[in-house]
Amino acid sequence: MTGSQDNIRLAISLRDGSLEKSVLFSLSQITSLPQDVTSVPRSSDLMTDAELQLTEDYDATALLEMLAAKKITAAELLSAFRKRATIAQQCTNCLTELLPEAIYDAEACDQHLAMTGRLMGPLHGIPLSLKNQIGVKSHLTNAGFVTWINNTSKDDAAIVKTFRKLGAVVFARTNQPQAGMHLETSNNIYGTTVNPRNRQLTAGGSTGGEAALMGMNASVLGIGGDIGGSIRQPAAHNGLYGFVPSPDRFSGIGVTVPTPGHDSIAGTLGPFARSLRDIELFCKAYSSTLPWIEDVSLIPGSIFSSSMGRQLDETRPLKVGLLLDDGVVSPLPPVRAVLQKVADKLRQAIDVQVTTFSPMDHAKGWEIIAANYFEDGGANIRAICEKGGEAVLPLTEWIINECQKGRKSVASSPEGLKEARDAYRQAYSDHWNQFDVDVVLAPIYPSVAGPHGATRYWGYTSIWNLLQYPAVAMPAAKLVGGVSTAELRGEYTPKNDLEKHYWEIYSAEDAEGLPIGIQVVGKRYHERMVLQASKTIEKALLAK
Amino acid sequence: MTGSQDNIRLAISLRDGSLEKSVLFSLSQITSLPQDVTSVPRSSDLMTDAELQLTEDYDATALLEMLAAKKITAAELLSAFRKRATIAQQCTNCLTELLPEAIYDAEACDQHLAMTGRLMGPLHGIPLSLKNQIGVKSHLTNAGFVTWINNTSKDDAAIVKTFRKLGAVVFARTNQPQAGMHLETSNNIYGTTVNPRNRQLTAGGSTGGEAALMGMNASVLGIGGDIGGSIRQPAAHNGLYGFVPSPDRFSGIGVTVPTPGHDSIAGTLGPFARSLRDIELFCKAYSSTLPWIEDVSLIPGSIFSSSMGRQLDETRPLKVGLLLDDGVVSPLPPVRAVLQKVADKLRQAIDVQVTTFSPMDHAKGWEIIAANYFEDGGANIRAICEKGGEAVLPLTEWIINECQKGRKSVASSPEGLKEARDAYRQAYSDHWNQFDVDVVLAPIYPSVAGPHGATRYWGYTSIWNLLQYPAVAMPAAKLVGGVSTAELRGEYTPKNDLEKHYWEIYSAEDAEGLPIGIQVVGKRYHERMVLQASKTIEKALLAK
């Protein structure tokens, strides 16, 4: 359709026009980009040392302290991140736009501080980036579909309103895949977002634009969405922290999804961050606004309320259950090596007690969640693609097919699918309760980031979406000091086709230095426990 | 089907065999029962004065104190209630069985107290009755369907286990209608439960057996279920207190429903009681067992947690929004008269501030909830009836038809129905927020209890199920001292067919002395606020 092509050109031109002009590459710069682009912001000589430092060296909490102490201004902080985001876009194709109004918002922060001596709010001047589907007033929101390119958001999404009120400077929107249902990031509008550490590899998804932007140190705090791994997996592929609470914690008002009314499996928004304390900052600031007054679908209480769920007993060690292998796809050598190092470190920590946590039929868990994803079997997704005159991408076909397969094997009626879901949830809870653990520590993905289009397994993340258990993703490889070449070349004997696929696309050479994540999982609505446990675990991993 | 008739005979014979033999009526007693049977336990001379007092004069909290002080034993308390329940059964057809094991449980309480000097638990020795659908180990659970007459519950329902642990003596199970989806109580097994105050009138439903039992003072604490009014409406028709929390507060494990996997509209269990403090006792005792550890679908926090939702500001008056008319069926004269008295009393109270709360399109609300009740359009209910060889009763046909009508007018797809539901919920929350009220006080039903089979409107209760707002039902007519004959004969001009129906079946003469309820409603998960507000309102209504 010519109309579609025009719309795509419009979307791309809007994005390109929004970039920071001073750091646009020349043609020769573009064509000579290295495979690993993480150093390009530095090597391109387009940013000052101060700007490089501001964007690389601090987490949001540290930046807040500098802003409060007037060591930096919100305007100069934003300027640095706008430049770096523009460079990140040219390196990884991660953006859908930069928001020009951010410049005024940053200036407003500076003026407010200068005139009143007080911060605009608990996130005063902190640049914040968003997955594209999160609406921004008067901006177009396509959520990865061609037919929605001209959809204007009439209002800010509720979470955007909230973070603006908190003083954050919402400055960038980032790419997501068609239907939001790939653990990669490719669509027919902007094309494919690539991994900053190796452009031949996926950045992960579905919040892959966000993760690549943060992986380039071109944002310090971001918001993504996760219904099967879409925050944790790209966080893992890019060395980031990410947080997925139980559902009904963050407002989804004003967030565009292709499947409204499909509530059998709930997704949720959640933050990407550079530190655990930034996740805590993000959530506490959000809860402080009492968002449940406006959004009646939310649990009306603070995310980290000490009145929710079981509390940690600080007079005894943290009880961590290690889930090393989900029994469906065994982790590949680098993931196994990192898990081994994590386990060793935890066993040395006096305030941690480690046990083995055995999974409960995760193959069935995948069948059930896949079957329940699309309550119409994927018909609506296909219809949206057709309306936009765009191809249903192979990874979209793949997940629709997994849904259809699941429906065949799980139940024939919608009610039957939900009964199976509820029975599995209760059985898994019973199973979990037998282990006497506070949290479970598990891989996020069986391998490192793979080549584009090759993602075939969501099970390590989607299992917790099915159960609605909150999880914190942490950059484990970085925390334990990485793995050696020998460990990357470890043995692996595929025991099924899925493992064979992952072994075939695995390259020990490419895996060198790639991030690897782990997740700390707690029971439903035990966000407080998950965060506290993550801190204890991180301390143990960083111990000499 | 002959098999069905045999099964029905079996169910009735099991029920009759379980009754307390010493108080069975003679044929002449049965045939000479008055219309109002509330005095029969006294007039029949089958119970001692002590037994009459024990069953009539106290709430559970008072009985607990007497048990703890060893003024009475659990065994004698149970014996009195077993007798009275047997009389209630013969008067109102409210039971499906008495549980013989209760005798041992009561004795165990007495022995425990005698030997240890301590109570068995916070509900030590309190007789507790249950709606039939709540499973009891090794007992048959038919939930009002012929085909399920021989279904043996393998285990106690989770809530039964919990209350047994708390020391309660589970002693009776009570009648419910076919499909659990009438606001009356009639099925093809046990027939119809009648109103103790006028056997020509309905006891209400679906927890009508329970409400009639309690209306006969033949139980002091009961558990029902509510998905559209099934606790509050029979509570209103029988002069009782009842409580419906938001969903996911009380465990539904082991409760038989005809529609497993249908989760678009959630039902919940909840207590019937003689006082607000008994509702508080019930809920606090339940939460103290941390039921969410076993049932992962529950919110993992106390029902009355002060960390959930907005809290009352005790430095200012309680803000009560009065909803006098839902705009669909105007309340009939006696209900209007009671509401007027309630409003007058509240306006006199210094710690209450009354405003008018306008409803937001409750007609649409009814369409949406009715359309969402049966996700299969009622097919499963029909199949269960067919399997049992039983007729689909007129009130079952009526609600299935309402569902079908709703589906036609609301949306054509299951996802569309849920989208409409979610949009209505959010719009209603926005509407509510405009009124600056802590709670809304509203009628429970447009009229007093009517003749059998004539219930045609659930809107005053179902609206809050749709919104998942918690509500306490209170016996308003009793609290304000009743209404006069003149008030019962007030004017009424029906403005639509539904109002015409209610006016046609209304009899001022029959209405004399009948109970009339009101409900105190709070926002989602604001159970604490609802309970606190109910106490303040009750105090105001009782003021001279």
Side-chain angles (χ1 to χ4, degrees), chain A residues 31-334:
Chain A
T31 51
S32 64
L33 282 174
Q35 193 121 293
D36 177 344
V37 290
T38 51
S39 306
V40 171
R42 193 164 278 277
S43 64
S44 64
D45 275 335
L46 293 166
M47 296 175 70
T48 65
D49 282 349
E51 286 168 345
L52 290 166
Q53 269 177 32
L54 271 185
T55 48
E56 287 174 10
D57 291 358
Y58 311 101
D59 65 0
T61 305
L63 289 173
L64 257 179
E65 284 166 13
M66 292 157 67
L67 285 159
K70 301 191 187 175
K71 289 182 187 162
I72 54 168
T73 67
E76 65 196 14
L77 186 62
L78 174 68
S79 173
F81 274 105
R82 277 177 57 89
K83 285 184 186 171
R84 195 160 186 130
T86 297
I87 294 171
Q89 162 57 24
Q90 296 171 94
C91 291
T92 66
N93 192 32
C94 57
L95 292 181
T96 64
E97 67 179 323
L98 290 181
L99 299 170
E101 59 267 46
I103 296 166
Y104 302 98
D105 292 345
E107 278 169 7
C109 284
D110 291 331
Q111 282 168 16
H112 183 86
L113 180 59
M115 287 171 65
T116 68
R118 274 177 291 175
L119 296 179
M120 193 73 115
L123 286 168
H124 174 101
I126 297 296
L128 179 67
S129 45
L130 311 170
K131 191 177 186 181
N132 177 275
Q133 67 182 151
I134 301 166
V136 176
K137 187 173 181 173
S138 304
H139 286 259
L140 302 175
T141 301
N142 56 56
F145 282 113
V146 170
T147 193
W148 288 346
I149 285 175
N150 283 307
N151 281 11
T152 304
S153 291
K154 285 183 197 124
D155 203 353
D156 282 340
I159 201 166
V160 171
K161 272 188 211 170
T162 301
F163 277 94
R164 285 193 163 150
K165 254 186 276 174
L166 292 166
V169 174
V170 180
F171 85 109
R173 298 172 82 199
T174 55
N175 201 23
Q176 65 178 73
Q178 186 184 63
M181 291 297 280
H182 312 172
L183 291 192
E184 302 195 12
T185 301
S186 190
N187 59 50
N188 290 315
I189 305 167
Y190 306 105
T192 302
T193 300
V194 301
N195 193 305
R197 283 168 179 86
N198 182 339
R199 301 197 301 136
Q200 302 303 312
L201 305 179
T202 179
S206 68
T207 322
E210 194 61 41
L213 185 73
M214 291 204 52
M216 290 291 292
N217 280 324
S219 180
V220 67
L221 201 58
I223 308 181
D226 193 315
I227 197 170
S230 288
I231 289 175
R232 289 158 290 161
Q233 189 256 25
H237 284 2
N238 291 277
L240 308 168
Y241 292 80
F243 177 51
V244 180
S246 290
D248 304 326
R249 290 301 207 172
F250 291 114
S251 177
I253 293 177
V255 177
T256 300
V257 295
T259 50
H262 294 233
D263 62 0
S264 179
I265 302 298
T268 176
L269 300 182
F272 285 84
R274 292 183 181 179
S275 64
L276 288 174
R277 66 178 187 170
D278 279 5
I279 288 177
E280 191 167 7
L281 171 73
F282 180 98
C283 295
K284 284 189 171 171
Y286 181 73
S287 287
S288 76
T289 66
L290 317 179
W292 49 84
I293 294 176
E294 296 297 323
D295 184 346
V296 76
S297 73
L298 302 182
I299 299 291
S302 296
I303 294 176
F304 297 133
S305 165
S306 60
S307 300
M308 265 297 216
R310 194 163 64 77
Q311 298 304 306
L312 284 178
D313 176 355
E314 290 180 9
T315 65
R316 59 149 176 84
L318 175 75
K319 295 181 188 172
V320 177
L322 267 183
L323 191 164
L324 296 171
D325 185 329
D326 77 349
V328 183
V329 179
S330 291
L332 280 88

Side-chain angles (χ1 to χ4, degrees), chain B residues 332-487:
Chain B
L332 279 88
V335 178
R336 281 216 310 267
V338 163
L339 287 173
Q340 188 55 55
K341 289 194 171 176
V342 165
D344 292 346
K345 286 279 194 180
L346 293 182
R347 289 205 176 88
Q348 285 160 24
I350 56 161
D351 54 351
V352 178
Q353 183 185 314
V354 181
T355 56
T356 300
F357 180 88
S358 319
M360 189 201 85
D361 200 353
H362 284 206
K364 174 59 70 182
W366 173 247
E367 281 183 0
I368 291 172
I369 194 170
N372 275 284
Y373 270 137
F374 307 114
E375 295 183 37
D376 61 0
N380 192 41
I381 303 276
R382 290 193 191 283
I384 296 169
C385 289
E386 191 174 341
K387 204 169 163 202
E390 66 175 307
V392 178
L393 293 176
L395 285 182
T396 309
E397 287 286 1
W398 174 82
I399 186 63
I400 290 175
N401 188 45
E402 290 292 304
C403 176
Q404 299 286 1
K405 272 163 58 184
R407 286 153 76 103
K408 277 192 196 100
S409 81
V410 174
S412 56
S413 72
E415 302 83 50
L417 288 171
K418 290 189 286 184
E419 262 193 283
R421 174 200 67 186
D422 295 346
Y424 187 86
R425 284 176 176 169
Q426 185 56 44
Y428 209 109
S429 170
D430 295 344
H431 174 80
W432 176 297
N433 286 347
Q434 286 168 19
F435 283 88
D436 185 29
V437 294
D438 297 318
V439 291
V440 164
L441 196 151
I444 288 174
Y445 193 66
S447 190
V448 292
H452 298 289
T455 301
R456 291 290 180 279
Y457 189 57
W458 302 10
Y460 280 96
T461 44
S462 62
I463 187 75
W464 311 119
N465 296 88
L466 173 59
L467 300 176
Q468 306 193 321
Y469 290 9
V472 165
M474 298 205 288
K478 185 157 65 186
L479 295 172
V480 299
V483 290
S484 70
T485 309
E487 287 169 317

Side-chain angles (χ1 to χ4, degrees), chain B residues 262-281:
Chain B
H262 294 233
D263 62 0
S264 180
I265 302 298
T268 176
L269 301 182
F272 285 83
R274 292 184 181 180
S275 63
L276 288 174
R277 65 179 186 168
D278 279 5
I279 287 176
E280 191 168 7
L281 172 72

Side-chain angles (χ1 to χ4, degrees), chain B residues 17-260:
Chain B
S18 76
L19 299 177
E20 182 62 39
K21 303 287 175 290
S22 61
V23 294
L24 292 179
F25 292 169
S26 66
L27 189 59
S28 71
Q29 277 175 305
I30 294 173
T31 51
S32 64
L33 281 174
Q35 192 123 294
D36 177 345
V37 290
T38 50
S39 306
V40 172
R42 192 164 280 274
S43 63
S44 63
D45 275 335
L46 293 166
M47 296 175 69
T48 66
D49 283 348
E51 286 167 344
L52 289 166
Q53 269 177 33
L54 270 185
T55 48
E56 286 174 11
D57 292 358
Y58 311 100
D59 64 1
T61 306
L63 290 173
L64 258 178
E65 284 167 13
M66 292 156 69
L67 286 159
K70 301 190 186 175
K71 290 182 185 160
I72 53 169
T73 67
E76 66 196 12
L77 186 61
L78 175 67
S79 172
F81 275 105
R82 277 177 57 90
K83 287 184 185 169
R84 195 160 186 131
T86 297
I87 295 171
Q89 162 59 22
Q90 296 171 96
C91 292
T92 66
N93 193 31
C94 56
L95 291 182
T96 65
E97 67 179 323
L98 289 181
L99 299 170
E101 58 266 48
I103 296 166
Y104 303 98
D105 293 344
E107 280 169 6
C109 283
D110 291 332
Q111 282 168 15
H112 182 87
L113 180 59
M115 288 170 64
T116 68
R118 274 176 289 175
L119 296 179
M120 193 72 115
L123 287 167
H124 174 101
I126 297 297
L128 178 68
S129 45
L130 312 170
K131 191 177 185 181
N132 177 276
Q133 69 181 148
I134 301 166
V136 176
K137 188 172 180 173
S138 304
H139 285 259
L140 303 175
T141 301
N142 57 56
F145 282 113
V146 170
T147 193
W148 289 345
I149 286 175
N150 283 307
N151 281 10
T152 304
S153 291
K154 286 186 197 121
D155 203 352
D156 281 341
I159 201 166
V160 172
K161 272 188 213 171
T162 300
F163 276 94
R164 285 193 163 150
K165 255 185 276 175
L166 291 166
V169 175
V170 180
F171 84 111
R173 299 172 82 199
T174 54
N175 201 22
Q176 66 178 72
Q178 185 184 64
M181 292 296 281
H182 312 174
L183 290 193
E184 301 194 13
T185 301
S186 190
N187 59 50
N188 290 315
I189 305 167
Y190 306 104
T192 301
T193 300
V194 300
N195 193 305
R197 284 170 179 83
N198 183 338
R199 301 195 303 135
Q200 302 303 313
L201 305 179
T202 179
S206 68
T207 322
E210 193 61 43
L213 184 73
M214 291 204 52
M216 291 291 292
N217 280 325
S219 179
V220 68
L221 201 57
I223 308 181
D226 193 315
I227 197 170
S230 289
I231 288 174
R232 289 157 291 160
Q233 190 256 26
H237 284 2
N238 291 279
L240 308 169
Y241 292 81
F243 177 50
V244 180
S246 290
D248 304 326
R249 291 301 208 171
F250 291 114
S251 177
I253 292 178
V255 177
T256 300
V257 294
T259 49

Side-chain angles (χ1 to χ4, degrees), chain B residues 455-530:
Chain B
T455 301
R456 291 290 180 279
Y457 189 57
W458 302 10
Y460 280 96
T461 44
S462 62
I463 187 75
W464 311 119
N465 296 88
L466 173 59
L467 300 176
Q468 306 193 321
Y469 290 9
V472 165
M474 298 205 288
K478 185 157 65 186
L479 295 172
V480 299
V483 290
S484 70
T485 309
E487 287 169 317
L488 295 175
R489 298 190 186 284
E491 286 183 21
Y492 192 83
T493 312
K495 65 178 181 294
N496 57 43
D497 285 350
L498 211 43
E499 290 189 347
K500 194 154 164 274
H501 167 75
Y502 273 103
W503 188 236
E504 281 170 2
I505 62 171
Y506 175 67
S507 151
E509 198 177 318
D510 283 350
E512 185 84 47
L514 285 185
I516 293 164
I518 52 169
Q519 56 189 328
V520 177
V521 183
K523 283 198 84 179
R524 192 164 177 254
Y525 292 124
H526 282 65
E527 288 90 349
R528 180 184 173 88
M529 180 175 282
V530 163

